[in-house]
Amino acid sequence: MPKITGAKVIVTCPGRNFVTLKIETADGVHGIGDATLNGRELSVVSYLNDHVIPCLIGRDAHQIEDIWQFLYRGAYWRRGPVTMSAIAAVDTALWDIKAKIAGLPLYQLLGGASRTGVMVYGHANGSTVDETIAEALRYQAMGYKAIRLQSGVPGLPSTYGVSKDKLFYEPADAALPTENVWSSAKYLPTVPKLFEAAREALGWDIHLLHDAHHRLTPIEAARLGKDLEPYRPFWIEDVTPAENQASFRLIRQHTTTPLAVGEVFNSIWDAKQLIDEQLIDYIRTTIVHAGGISHLRRIAHLAEINNVRTGFHGATDLSPACMGAALHFDLWVPNFGIQEYMRHTPETDEVFPHAYTFADGYLHPGEAPGHGVDIDEDLAARYPYRPASLPVNRLEDGSMYNW
Ligand code: EZ4
Ligand code: CO
């Protein structure tokens, strides 16, 4: 058996913070897994170092399911983003090791390729509609088949999704949370105008997406969905917070615009009612935040029998190790929908050498054994951790709100 002889946590900040778990076996094979939880990185580091790594040493790296169950059931305290990100890192690293030992790219172990490439969506944003459309045209020229559109809201000093650097959006912009201001009344009329202009400029042979980032009430979300129907969005995302899964019934009654939810979910239980009742169309859980490949596979299967497709989160805070693993999953999973793809900085790409490639709107995980992503530890050590928090939101009268 490939005995686990060592495991270490590597923290690096090549432009933003990443936490990576590296597991080593007696035969000299190693695997890596992403453990980054944006704004809460060091909590996962501590969970791994204090509670997980000591339990891994001496185990058989091939027993992925048993180790998963040990870490999940064995903690007694179930679920939660810190726990599930730590478990995900172990699970991803073990799948990487198993596939390397088999000499196969990970997608082959999952069941083989179901498609030739993974359709991804890029992010066009700007402070005005014109600026956003100009960006979207650039993405279309790069070959993207799907583009997310986010635009500034007149009267609000800043808006979710509108970045300074056009290729890399980084919301965790300060050591302590930046305070933003929100108004749904100001925001709601702007989105149909953005989509109308986008259809005019980009045509109909391209998928358009939008993220409301948890800011609407269910009835406001229903209205947004209705208002966007003429422009046939691929989806609207996180229109309302999803702790109360039943609240999506109300949105569903009113609009045929497809709904995507789940980037903050960490367990199948967060999505069970949404999927069982077919209240959403796309599930956005990721490998790193939802317990790794082993748990995401359960979510995907539940989704499949309910006509829900995958549309995994893929912002810059998901490291190349998560992206690589996700792409193998995407190439295999029968009910694939789309994959979010926000490019990493060149420094990040250097720290994480990877086999995946982009061409003509599709990513491919490559044919390297494992998930195809590694970490250059010497280079990683040159970028020390920098505290960074996600922003918070207040309404115009000062009330705390959802970011
Ligand atoms: O705010 O990844 O769809 N993408 C998003 C992201 C999230 C960040 C949080 O860490 O909503 O921009
Ligand atoms: Co989102």
Side-chain angles (χ1 to χ4, degrees):
M1 68 163 188
K3 197 168 157 176
I4 298 175
T5 48
K8 64 173 147 185
V9 184
I10 302 155
V11 182
T12 182
C13 186
R16 69 159 351 281
N17 292 315
F18 292 111
V19 178
T20 310
L21 177 70
K22 179 171 180 175
I23 298 182
E24 285 157 334
T25 67
D27 323 329
V29 180
H30 74 268
I32 69 164
D34 183 20
T36 309
L37 183 61
N38 202 1
R40 295 291 183 269
E41 292 87 359
L42 299 185
S43 301
V44 186
V45 174
S46 152
Y47 194 89
L48 282 166
N49 280 329
D50 299 344
H51 307 293
V52 174
I53 289 177
C55 297
L56 293 178
I57 308 303
R59 284 178 194 275
D60 176 0
H62 271 329
Q63 289 190 281
I64 300 176
E65 188 65 44
D66 183 67
I67 291 173
W68 196 97
Q69 299 291 340
F70 181 94
L71 294 174
Y72 183 79
R73 293 170 196 263
Y76 184 64
W77 310 106
R78 294 189 181 202
R79 303 163 57 180
V82 174
T83 304
M84 296 304 275
S85 299
I87 295 176
V90 174
D91 187 81
T92 309
L94 293 179
W95 276 105
D96 192 22
I97 288 171
K98 193 186 277 296
K100 280 181 176 173
I101 291 173
L104 292 170
L106 175 57
Y107 73 82
Q108 294 291 11
L109 267 59
L110 295 172
S114 302
R115 51 197 56 82
T116 53
V118 173
M119 182 171 71
V120 298
Y121 69 91
H123 295 77
N125 69 80
S127 44
T128 62
V129 168
D130 286 350
E131 207 182 308
T132 307
I133 299 299
E135 274 304 298
L137 286 165
R138 252 180 39 157
Y139 275 90
Q140 198 176 29
M142 282 190 267
Y144 281 85
K145 308 286 180 259
I147 306 171
R148 189 185 89 164
L149 304 170
Q150 307 290 140
S151 209
V153 175
L156 295 182
S158 67
T159 311
Y160 164 78
V162 180
S163 61
K164 291 173 211 112
D165 189 319
K166 290 297 175 212
L167 280 177
F168 321 102
Y169 173 59
E170 184 44 73
D173 58 1
L176 293 175
T178 303
E179 301 219 351
N180 292 342
V181 181
W182 180 252
S183 160
S184 293
K186 290 194 165 104
Y187 159 81
L188 276 169
T190 66
V191 195
K193 286 179 198 150
L194 172 63
F195 271 69
E196 186 184 9
R199 280 298 176 209
E200 214 161 283
L202 304 163
W204 291 84
D205 192 22
I206 187 145
H207 298 301
L208 302 178
L209 300 79
H210 180 72
D211 191 347
H213 222 262
H214 321 274
R215 282 156 197 215
L216 304 174
T217 63
I219 200 70
E220 287 169 344
R223 176 144 58 90
L224 178 66
K226 266 177 104 154
D227 288 350
L228 290 180
E229 278 170 24
Y231 313 109
R232 301 287 187 269
F234 186 89
W235 78 33
I236 50 176
E237 175 188 339
D238 287 334
V239 282
T240 201
E243 287 108 322
N244 183 346
Q245 298 179 45
S247 66
F248 277 74
R249 288 180 188 151
L250 189 147
I251 307 170
R252 211 58 168 165
Q253 277 164 19
H254 290 288
T255 181
T256 56
T257 293
L259 303 172
V261 178
E263 67 184 41
V264 303
F265 293 172
N266 53 71
S267 160
I268 195 166
W269 301 103
D270 293 327
K272 185 174 179 297
Q273 188 179 5
L274 289 172
I275 296 174
D276 276 346
E277 292 187 29
Q278 305 189 12
L279 299 177
I280 57 171
D281 300 279
Y282 298 91
I283 180 73
R284 284 188 44 74
T285 43
T286 55
I287 286 177
V288 53
H289 298 137
I293 291 158
S294 300
H295 192 66
L296 208 52
R297 198 165 53 172
R298 291 189 181 90
I299 298 177
H301 286 325
L302 178 68
E304 188 196 3
I305 60 169
N306 287 292
N307 289 307
V308 173
R309 292 191 280 166
T310 64
F312 297 160
H313 189 200
T316 39
D317 49 299
L318 295 102
S319 94
C322 179
M323 180 56 76
L327 291 172
H328 285 270
F329 197 101
D330 294 333
L331 199 70
W332 153 71
V333 72
N335 47 323
F336 173 73
I338 199 166
Q339 167 71 52
E340 182 179 19
Y341 175 46
M342 211 186 269
R343 282 158 198 266
H344 289 109
T345 61
E347 293 79 11
T348 297
D349 281 338
E350 255 181 9
V351 169
F352 295 93
H354 52 264
Y356 59 81
T357 49
F358 174 86
D360 202 27
Y362 292 83
L363 277 167
H364 194 284
E367 299 296 337
H371 58 48
V373 184
D374 211 342
I375 184 163
D376 181 331
E377 288 188 61
D378 295 334
L379 206 51
R382 283 196 226 154
Y383 301 103
Y385 169 78
R386 284 201 314 251
S389 295
L390 287 168
V392 296
N393 239 348
R394 288 185 190 277
L395 300 179
E396 288 170 301
D397 71 357
S399 313
M400 276 304 303
Y401 199 57
N402 317 314
W403 177 74

